[in-house]
Amino acid sequence: MMRSLFRSIPKRLGPNKLVFCRFQSSNPQMSFPCVDQAQERNRRYEESLQQFQTSSNEDPGACITSPSLASGPEPIYGKIVSGFKKFNYNNVFLCDHGGILPKFELAYETWGTLNEDRSNAILLHTGLSASSHAHSHPDNPQPGWWEQFIGPGKDLDTNKFYIICCNILGSCYGSTGPSSIDPGDGKHYATRFPIITVNDMVRTQILLLDHLKIDKLHASIGSSLGGMQSLAFGALAPHRTARIASISGGARSHPYSIALRFTQRQILMNDPQWNRGFYYDGIPPHTGMKLAREVATISYRSGPEWEQRFSTRRANPAVPPAMCPDFLIETYLDHAGEKFCLQYDPNSLLYISKAMDMHDMTASNQKLLAENRKKNQHKLEKYLAENPNVSQEDVIKANSNSVVLPDTPIEEISNEDRTPEPDVDSDLTAGLVPLRNIPTMIMGVESDNLMPVACQRETARCLEKAGNDKVVYHELNADESFYGHDTFLIYRKNFNLVGSKLKNFLEQS
């Protein structure tokens, strides 16, 4: 039984007089506009769902498979986005951890002109939530996520190079991912999508290069998750790239990064609307997605930058403090989460962030993955038996890319003054042996909280131990950049440290 905010108690006013006084709460209840906003979005989705169910009952043949992607506050990843090309791979694809994709698609975009001997191609790998749209072009004039870095005479000079940027496997911007339709039953994969690795992403890109008839890249480059992919490309196909550039990435994930991404996934998965991944015909977990993005945004920049941009200023000091966004930094995080929560598929965030966590180029881990792939070869054999018209040679070739490591451990570079490193150094050094003949640029940022600069230092150190005498290492200190992990996205008139160093590396003979 709910108690009233008012209660009557007796009060004596005189010797023989007793009256009852009504007491009110000392303060009014606070307002929560941020909660109201989430509830209003949920209400619109519920309304959209009801309209869909009504129209479906009236027209059972309606060709709509997902009400939340059909009307109401439509997630942008559900829209038909123009401007990219599609590579369709129509054979079975085996993932590192045993999952199967009967076929897949990759969205990609290109800039510049491929030269006659097809040797000037640069593969630009993306970060976690990026599309293939790195730069504007006639089919999509909207600015891309690396707009100022790409173009004639720029850091990725389209007068010299043919730039290819792919939307990665598992994403939601045109490539096959959890929101895609499973050809097995015609429904969204959801969490029936297989666990994927960074190596799996790179294997699909190698198949794209085969499709484009590009035997060897001028360079494999990327930042953040893209930096992980660029290194993995060198390990899986060292003969297919002349250079590697890894910016704010690394050869294995850092425990701090894993902890941050785990927290984001837990927030998202505990949104009741997530429904174990099966939300495509209902209401997406927009609240969990917003909160997860806010946590991520904290890790993308640095404390000194927050201090300069926001300090401890409140958005409006004239109004009473509130539990909803109140400080300027809070309004910034709220805006970032609000903007993102309908722009990206929550399941894609889960799968791709998990792939980043599992990224580990140590020899022991690469051996485990190779053994796991061998153990699951029977799935390919079953597929070939059920599809006799499929080229057995093509299927085997497409699924055979594994890191090839030497049978005997390499000899480390001797250095009497070197402090003994932990065992993981030897393991990672052995895993990076396939890259020993590839000129490699590693760049880190001291203010990076998400991918600590220790990851880049470790990668460069182990590459050198593996015998690579062409490692170029750049580290931006706090005076050069206090922008944290997002440094690689920033291009300003007086700040182009990332792009200028990349340009010099790419154009070296």
Side-chain angles (χ1 to χ4, degrees), residues 4-34:
S4 172
L5 288 175
F6 301 95
R7 60 190 179 93
S8 297
I9 62 171
K11 182 176 181 181
R12 293 189 179 275
L13 297 180
N16 299 310
K17 294 182 179 179
L18 186 68
V19 298
F20 285 85
C21 298
R22 295 175 69 80
F23 281 81
Q24 194 170 358
S25 172
S26 301
N27 302 288
Q29 181 181 347
M30 294 180 68
S31 62
F32 298 95
C34 53

Short mmCIF file of all heavy atoms in Angstrom, two decimals, residues 4-34:
data_model
loop_
_atom_site.label_atom_id
_atom_site.label_comp_id
_atom_site.label_asym_id
_atom_site.label_seq_id
_atom_site.Cartn_x
_atom_site.Cartn_y
_atom_site.Cartn_z
N SER A 4 0.76 8.14 1.49
CA SER A 4 0.57 9.48 0.96
C SER A 4 1.75 10.35 1.34
O SER A 4 2.43 10.13 2.33
CB SER A 4 -0.72 10.08 1.53
OG SER A 4 -0.80 11.44 1.17
N LEU A 5 1.99 11.38 0.51
CA LEU A 5 3.02 12.34 0.85
C LEU A 5 2.61 13.18 2.06
O LEU A 5 3.42 13.85 2.68
CB LEU A 5 3.29 13.28 -0.34
CG LEU A 5 4.02 12.66 -1.52
CD1 LEU A 5 4.09 13.67 -2.66
CD2 LEU A 5 5.41 12.20 -1.13
N PHE A 6 1.32 13.16 2.34
CA PHE A 6 0.80 13.91 3.49
C PHE A 6 0.43 12.94 4.60
O PHE A 6 -0.01 11.82 4.33
CB PHE A 6 -0.45 14.71 3.09
CG PHE A 6 -0.19 15.69 1.98
CD1 PHE A 6 -0.44 15.36 0.66
CD2 PHE A 6 0.33 16.94 2.26
CE1 PHE A 6 -0.18 16.26 -0.35
CE2 PHE A 6 0.58 17.86 1.25
CZ PHE A 6 0.32 17.51 -0.06
N ARG A 7 0.59 13.31 5.82
CA ARG A 7 0.15 12.48 6.93
C ARG A 7 -0.45 13.38 8.01
O ARG A 7 -0.03 14.51 8.21
CB ARG A 7 1.28 11.63 7.50
CG ARG A 7 2.46 12.41 8.03
CD ARG A 7 3.61 11.46 8.34
NE ARG A 7 4.77 12.17 8.84
CZ ARG A 7 5.01 12.35 10.13
NH1 ARG A 7 4.17 11.89 11.04
NH2 ARG A 7 6.10 13.00 10.52
N SER A 8 -1.47 12.90 8.68
CA SER A 8 -2.15 13.68 9.71
C SER A 8 -1.66 13.26 11.07
O SER A 8 -1.60 12.06 11.38
CB SER A 8 -3.67 13.46 9.62
OG SER A 8 -4.15 13.92 8.38
N ILE A 9 -1.27 14.22 11.87
CA ILE A 9 -0.87 13.93 13.24
C ILE A 9 -1.58 14.91 14.16
O ILE A 9 -1.88 16.06 13.78
CB ILE A 9 0.66 14.05 13.41
CG1 ILE A 9 1.13 15.48 13.14
CG2 ILE A 9 1.40 13.07 12.53
CD1 ILE A 9 2.56 15.72 13.51
N PRO A 10 -1.93 14.47 15.36
CA PRO A 10 -2.64 15.37 16.27
C PRO A 10 -1.71 16.42 16.84
O PRO A 10 -0.53 16.19 17.02
CB PRO A 10 -3.12 14.42 17.37
CG PRO A 10 -2.16 13.29 17.34
CD PRO A 10 -1.75 13.14 15.91
N LYS A 11 -2.27 17.62 17.08
CA LYS A 11 -1.51 18.70 17.68
C LYS A 11 -2.41 19.44 18.68
O LYS A 11 -3.54 19.83 18.34
CB LYS A 11 -1.03 19.67 16.60
CG LYS A 11 -0.18 20.82 17.15
CD LYS A 11 0.35 21.68 16.03
CE LYS A 11 1.22 22.80 16.56
NZ LYS A 11 1.73 23.67 15.49
N ARG A 12 -1.95 19.63 19.89
CA ARG A 12 -2.75 20.28 20.91
C ARG A 12 -2.53 21.80 20.84
O ARG A 12 -1.42 22.28 20.84
CB ARG A 12 -2.37 19.78 22.30
CG ARG A 12 -2.73 18.31 22.50
CD ARG A 12 -2.55 17.89 23.95
NE ARG A 12 -2.92 16.50 24.11
CZ ARG A 12 -4.17 16.10 24.31
NH1 ARG A 12 -5.13 17.00 24.35
NH2 ARG A 12 -4.44 14.83 24.46
N LEU A 13 -3.69 22.52 20.80
CA LEU A 13 -3.62 23.97 20.77
C LEU A 13 -4.03 24.59 22.11
O LEU A 13 -3.82 25.76 22.34
CB LEU A 13 -4.54 24.52 19.67
CG LEU A 13 -4.18 24.10 18.24
CD1 LEU A 13 -5.16 24.71 17.27
CD2 LEU A 13 -2.77 24.52 17.89
N GLY A 14 -4.62 23.81 22.94
CA GLY A 14 -5.07 24.31 24.24
C GLY A 14 -5.37 23.14 25.15
O GLY A 14 -5.20 21.99 24.78
N PRO A 15 -5.88 23.44 26.35
CA PRO A 15 -6.13 22.38 27.35
C PRO A 15 -7.08 21.31 26.86
O PRO A 15 -6.87 20.14 27.10
CB PRO A 15 -6.70 23.13 28.55
CG PRO A 15 -6.33 24.57 28.32
CD PRO A 15 -6.18 24.76 26.87
N ASN A 16 -8.12 21.71 26.14
CA ASN A 16 -9.13 20.72 25.75
C ASN A 16 -9.37 20.69 24.25
O ASN A 16 -10.40 20.21 23.79
CB ASN A 16 -10.46 21.03 26.47
CG ASN A 16 -10.33 20.96 27.97
OD1 ASN A 16 -9.81 19.98 28.46
ND2 ASN A 16 -10.77 22.00 28.67
N LYS A 17 -8.40 21.25 23.44
CA LYS A 17 -8.60 21.32 21.99
C LYS A 17 -7.54 20.47 21.27
O LYS A 17 -6.36 20.58 21.52
CB LYS A 17 -8.50 22.76 21.51
CG LYS A 17 -9.63 23.66 22.04
CD LYS A 17 -9.50 25.05 21.48
CE LYS A 17 -10.64 25.94 21.97
NZ LYS A 17 -10.52 27.30 21.45
N LEU A 18 -8.04 19.62 20.35
CA LEU A 18 -7.14 18.75 19.57
C LEU A 18 -7.50 18.90 18.09
O LEU A 18 -8.65 18.69 17.70
CB LEU A 18 -7.30 17.30 20.01
CG LEU A 18 -6.33 16.29 19.40
CD1 LEU A 18 -4.93 16.57 19.91
CD2 LEU A 18 -6.75 14.86 19.77
N VAL A 19 -6.55 19.29 17.24
CA VAL A 19 -6.82 19.43 15.80
C VAL A 19 -5.81 18.58 15.02
O VAL A 19 -4.78 18.16 15.56
CB VAL A 19 -6.71 20.91 15.34
CG1 VAL A 19 -7.72 21.77 16.05
CG2 VAL A 19 -5.30 21.42 15.56
N PHE A 20 -6.12 18.33 13.76
CA PHE A 20 -5.20 17.57 12.90
C PHE A 20 -4.61 18.49 11.85
O PHE A 20 -5.32 19.22 11.16
CB PHE A 20 -5.94 16.41 12.23
CG PHE A 20 -6.23 15.28 13.17
CD1 PHE A 20 -7.36 15.30 13.97
CD2 PHE A 20 -5.35 14.23 13.28
CE1 PHE A 20 -7.62 14.26 14.85
CE2 PHE A 20 -5.60 13.19 14.16
CZ PHE A 20 -6.74 13.20 14.94
N CYS A 21 -3.26 18.50 11.75
CA CYS A 21 -2.56 19.32 10.76
C CYS A 21 -2.00 18.43 9.65
O CYS A 21 -1.54 17.32 9.93
CB CYS A 21 -1.40 20.08 11.40
SG CYS A 21 -1.93 21.23 12.68
N ARG A 22 -2.02 18.89 8.40
CA ARG A 22 -1.50 18.12 7.26
C ARG A 22 -0.11 18.66 6.92
O ARG A 22 0.06 19.85 6.68
CB ARG A 22 -2.43 18.24 6.06
CG ARG A 22 -3.80 17.62 6.34
CD ARG A 22 -4.75 17.85 5.18
NE ARG A 22 -4.36 17.10 3.99
CZ ARG A 22 -4.62 15.81 3.80
NH1 ARG A 22 -5.22 15.11 4.74
NH2 ARG A 22 -4.25 15.21 2.69
N PHE A 23 0.90 17.74 6.87
CA PHE A 23 2.28 18.13 6.60
C PHE A 23 2.67 17.72 5.18
O PHE A 23 2.35 16.61 4.75
CB PHE A 23 3.22 17.47 7.61
CG PHE A 23 3.23 18.17 8.93
CD1 PHE A 23 2.22 17.91 9.85
CD2 PHE A 23 4.21 19.08 9.26
CE1 PHE A 23 2.22 18.55 11.06
CE2 PHE A 23 4.21 19.73 10.47
CZ PHE A 23 3.21 19.47 11.39
N GLN A 24 3.37 18.59 4.45
CA GLN A 24 3.81 18.35 3.08
C GLN A 24 5.31 18.06 3.08
O GLN A 24 6.02 18.45 3.99
CB GLN A 24 3.51 19.57 2.21
CG GLN A 24 3.60 19.30 0.73
CD GLN A 24 3.06 20.47 -0.08
OE1 GLN A 24 2.60 21.45 0.51
NE2 GLN A 24 3.13 20.36 -1.39
N SER A 25 5.78 17.34 2.00
CA SER A 25 7.21 17.05 1.86
C SER A 25 8.00 18.35 1.92
O SER A 25 7.57 19.40 1.42
CB SER A 25 7.48 16.36 0.53
OG SER A 25 8.86 16.23 0.30
N SER A 26 9.18 18.28 2.49
CA SER A 26 10.00 19.48 2.68
C SER A 26 10.44 20.12 1.38
O SER A 26 10.62 21.33 1.28
CB SER A 26 11.23 19.15 3.53
OG SER A 26 10.86 18.63 4.78
N ASN A 27 10.65 19.28 0.33
CA ASN A 27 11.13 19.77 -0.96
C ASN A 27 10.38 19.10 -2.10
O ASN A 27 9.96 17.94 -1.97
CB ASN A 27 12.63 19.48 -1.13
CG ASN A 27 13.47 20.09 -0.04
OD1 ASN A 27 13.64 21.30 0.00
ND2 ASN A 27 13.96 19.27 0.87
N PRO A 28 10.23 19.78 -3.23
CA PRO A 28 9.59 19.14 -4.38
C PRO A 28 10.52 18.09 -5.00
O PRO A 28 11.73 18.15 -4.82
CB PRO A 28 9.38 20.30 -5.35
CG PRO A 28 10.44 21.29 -5.00
CD PRO A 28 10.62 21.18 -3.50
N GLN A 29 9.95 17.15 -5.71
CA GLN A 29 10.75 16.13 -6.40
C GLN A 29 11.54 16.77 -7.53
O GLN A 29 11.06 17.67 -8.22
CB GLN A 29 9.85 15.03 -6.96
CG GLN A 29 10.64 13.93 -7.66
CD GLN A 29 9.73 12.86 -8.24
OE1 GLN A 29 8.54 12.82 -7.92
NE2 GLN A 29 10.29 12.01 -9.05
N MET A 30 12.77 16.29 -7.74
CA MET A 30 13.60 16.80 -8.83
C MET A 30 13.04 16.35 -10.17
O MET A 30 12.36 15.33 -10.26
CB MET A 30 15.04 16.29 -8.69
CG MET A 30 15.78 16.79 -7.47
SD MET A 30 17.46 16.14 -7.39
CE MET A 30 18.20 16.97 -8.80
N SER A 31 13.34 17.10 -11.20
CA SER A 31 12.99 16.68 -12.56
C SER A 31 14.18 15.96 -13.18
O SER A 31 15.33 16.22 -12.83
CB SER A 31 12.61 17.91 -13.40
OG SER A 31 13.71 18.80 -13.50
N PHE A 32 13.89 15.05 -14.12
CA PHE A 32 14.94 14.25 -14.76
C PHE A 32 14.73 14.25 -16.27
O PHE A 32 14.27 13.26 -16.85
CB PHE A 32 14.93 12.83 -14.21
CG PHE A 32 15.22 12.75 -12.74
CD1 PHE A 32 14.18 12.69 -11.81
CD2 PHE A 32 16.52 12.74 -12.27
CE1 PHE A 32 14.45 12.62 -10.46
CE2 PHE A 32 16.79 12.67 -10.92
CZ PHE A 32 15.75 12.62 -10.01
N PRO A 33 15.05 15.36 -16.94
CA PRO A 33 14.82 15.44 -18.39
C PRO A 33 15.61 14.39 -19.19
O PRO A 33 15.15 13.95 -20.24
CB PRO A 33 15.28 16.85 -18.74
CG PRO A 33 16.14 17.30 -17.60
CD PRO A 33 15.59 16.62 -16.40
N CYS A 34 16.76 13.97 -18.69
CA CYS A 34 17.54 12.95 -19.42
C CYS A 34 16.82 11.60 -19.40
O CYS A 34 16.83 10.86 -20.39
CB CYS A 34 18.94 12.83 -18.83
SG CYS A 34 19.01 12.55 -17.06
#
